[in-house]
Amino acid sequence: MKYYIKTFGCQMNERDSEKVEGILFKNNHQRVDNPEEADLIIVNSCAVREKAENKLYSEIGRLRFKNKRAKIVAMGCVAQINYERLKNIADIVVGTNTIDMFYSIAREWPHDKVFIKPNMEDPDHIFPHLTSVSAYVDIMYGCDNFCTYCIVPFTRGREVSRKKEAIIDEIKRLVDKGTKEVMLLGQNVNSYGKNFDYGFVDLLYEVNKIDGLERIRFTTSHPKDFSKELIYAMRDLEKVCEHIHLPIQSGSNKILKLMKRKYTKEEYLEKVYLYKEIVKDGSITTDIIVGFPQETEKDFEETLKILEEVRYDTSFSFKYSKRPFTKAKDMDGQVPEEEKLRRLNILQDLQAKITQEKLKNYEGKVTEVLIEGISKKGNQFFGRNRQNIVVNLDFMDNIKVGDVVRVEITKALKHSLLGKPI
Ligand code: SAH
Ligand code: SF4
Ligand code: F3S
């Protein structure tokens, strides 16, 4: 069978798509990049904003039009919550907790149409990977935080941690096949291991011991649980990269409270300052929502101030989007769409300026890059430094994919760096 797969959404969805591909590959199915050649079309969906959700419906329509003969599977976060609507337009609907269904789909087309479960039955199961220098590894599923804007707790179910042994075993298998870097994934990795007698920092210590592994990254850290202990572990564990993604969402305490984020701007900044002091050359990135209900011009300006104060390397910013099941959708004081857009543009302009200044600082300096692949044009290597910034460099005979090399930065581009190996 030939399959085509399209993925929307976060790293967790990318990993889920990789699981599906791993299963299909093991059963001798072949990936195609042109949907018209496929017998099976899979769309992995994201529900986090309305626009993301709508992409699934339009994508299914588009793909059906292009290829009327293929079977279509709708999976992912929209599938989990909107299977009633999707079962009329897709052939099969697979939710976020039923990816193991693909073991059957890979062998025989099932009679049932909808495969949804509220929680994962065996979180410790090790799904296959495709080979790569840098690999995603789930350490926990779901989320219990219920931030008032967010649909994820509804699409991914309750928080559950995978056992240390399963995670270590998975990483060792990856390293045996050439993986050098792992990205540990969870909606809130700092609350890893709630029901175990070990936590996230203990897990990092264990992963750090794995021979042959060069780098460890993780995402996402919820600021309320971002601990001193973790900051010191980032300093002390040589494989853990000096980068933290710490979504602030808003710089206004009033808005943070309405969002139910459970930290204040002051508590957040205190942690950032400690991180900056302890973790040498550490980079920091964030997520921001503009136009949350009741956000005034003054609240928005407080968010801008935080940007100036923290000086994020990058930030991912979004217009607030009303989501089903969430508390915020019914709050008073919804902000008009044009106003959200105006705020978003101002914020993104400011961030672009800061990003550019920070990238310029690298010019003339030497940075450590893990080579992940060859550029689209085929004339350069690309990789990332420990701070998670993309670096492109010219080919050299003695360098290959998977190597860690020291690179002198020659030029800062808009979102990445250019350099030559030394
Ligand atoms: N677990 C992560 C976030 C996952 S969702 C965390 O807590 O940081 C990724 C990002 O999407 C969020 O950080 C938030 O900035 C954005 N987001 C989530 N719901 C949204 C909504 N309803 N409207 C706009 N942006 C949203
Ligand atoms: Fe959503 Fe909040 Fe959970 Fe992140 S922590 S996934 S923003 S509910
Ligand atoms: Fe990720 Fe989107 Fe689901 S951000 S968890 S794919 S709703």
Side-chain angles (χ1 to χ4, degrees), residues 106-333:
R107 286 185 215 112
E108 196 184 350
W109 196 250
H111 300 297
D112 292 341
K113 239 188 153 178
V114 178
F115 302 93
I116 305 284
K117 280 182 192 154
N119 288 297
M120 195 121 14
E121 255 155 35
D122 178 16
D124 290 328
H125 177 75
I126 299 179
F127 283 99
H129 285 260
L130 305 173
T131 46
S132 60
V133 169
S134 180
Y136 290 136
V137 175
D138 296 307
I139 64 165
M140 58 203 297
Y141 297 112
C143 181
D144 286 349
N145 283 311
F146 293 94
C147 302
T148 57
Y149 50 82
C150 187
I151 199 168
V152 172
F154 304 93
T155 68
R156 294 270 168 180
R158 294 291 61 72
E159 198 174 290
V160 48
S161 296
R162 297 180 70 207
K163 288 200 193 67
K164 196 163 69 180
E165 291 74 20
I167 297 167
I168 301 288
D169 188 13
E170 182 166 341
I171 298 175
K172 282 186 174 160
R173 292 189 204 181
L174 283 164
V175 171
D176 282 344
K177 292 201 170 127
T179 291
K180 303 285 177 185
E181 175 184 280
V182 288
M183 168 76 102
L184 308 177
L185 296 180
Q187 293 300 346
N188 175 14
V189 294
N190 303 121
S191 68
Y192 171 80
K194 253 186 207 165
N195 299 317
F196 304 155
D197 56 0
Y198 49 86
F200 182 57
V201 170
D202 304 305
L203 178 70
L204 282 181
Y205 269 85
E206 290 294 316
V207 178
N208 195 68
K209 287 185 201 150
I210 298 176
D211 284 335
L213 183 69
E214 300 268 355
R215 289 179 170 185
I216 304 166
R217 301 184 185 279
F218 55 87
T219 200
T220 294
S221 276
H222 193 301
K224 79 174 159 62
D225 304 314
F226 181 49
S227 64
K228 267 190 196 148
E229 210 195 346
L230 174 57
I231 295 175
Y232 285 106
M234 290 180 79
R235 178 194 66 186
D236 296 338
L237 297 173
E238 75 283 1
K239 292 179 185 171
V240 176
C241 288
E242 294 75 26
H243 167 233
I244 186 80
H245 183 63
L246 204 60
I248 185 159
Q249 311 299 359
S250 168
S252 151
N253 284 337
K254 178 190 97 188
I255 298 298
L256 286 171
K257 192 151 187 211
L258 286 169
M259 288 176 163
K260 220 177 104 197
R261 287 292 284 178
K262 299 185 192 133
Y263 53 83
T264 62
K265 163 179 85 180
E266 291 77 16
E267 285 161 351
Y268 180 94
L269 287 175
E270 201 181 309
K271 290 180 183 184
V272 168
Y273 286 127
L274 184 69
Y275 167 76
K276 287 193 171 190
E277 183 194 321
I278 305 293
V279 182
K280 214 173 135 266
D281 295 329
S283 62
I284 178 163
T285 55
T286 201
D287 291 348
I288 291 166
I289 297 175
V290 298
F292 187 83
Q294 297 171 41
E295 185 188 73
T296 61
E297 188 63 24
K298 197 176 134 279
D299 296 317
F300 172 62
E301 279 165 13
E302 289 194 69
T303 302
L304 294 177
K305 246 202 236 138
I306 295 269
L307 244 65
E308 302 259 25
E309 195 157 340
V310 177
R311 292 182 58 80
Y312 295 104
D313 293 79
T314 314
S315 62
F316 303 91
S317 45
F318 315 98
K319 285 182 289 177
Y320 167 70
S321 168
K322 270 191 185 183
R323 302 311 290 135
F325 312 113
T326 63
K327 287 233 165 72
K329 81 173 193 322
D330 302 317
M331 284 181 183
D332 293 336

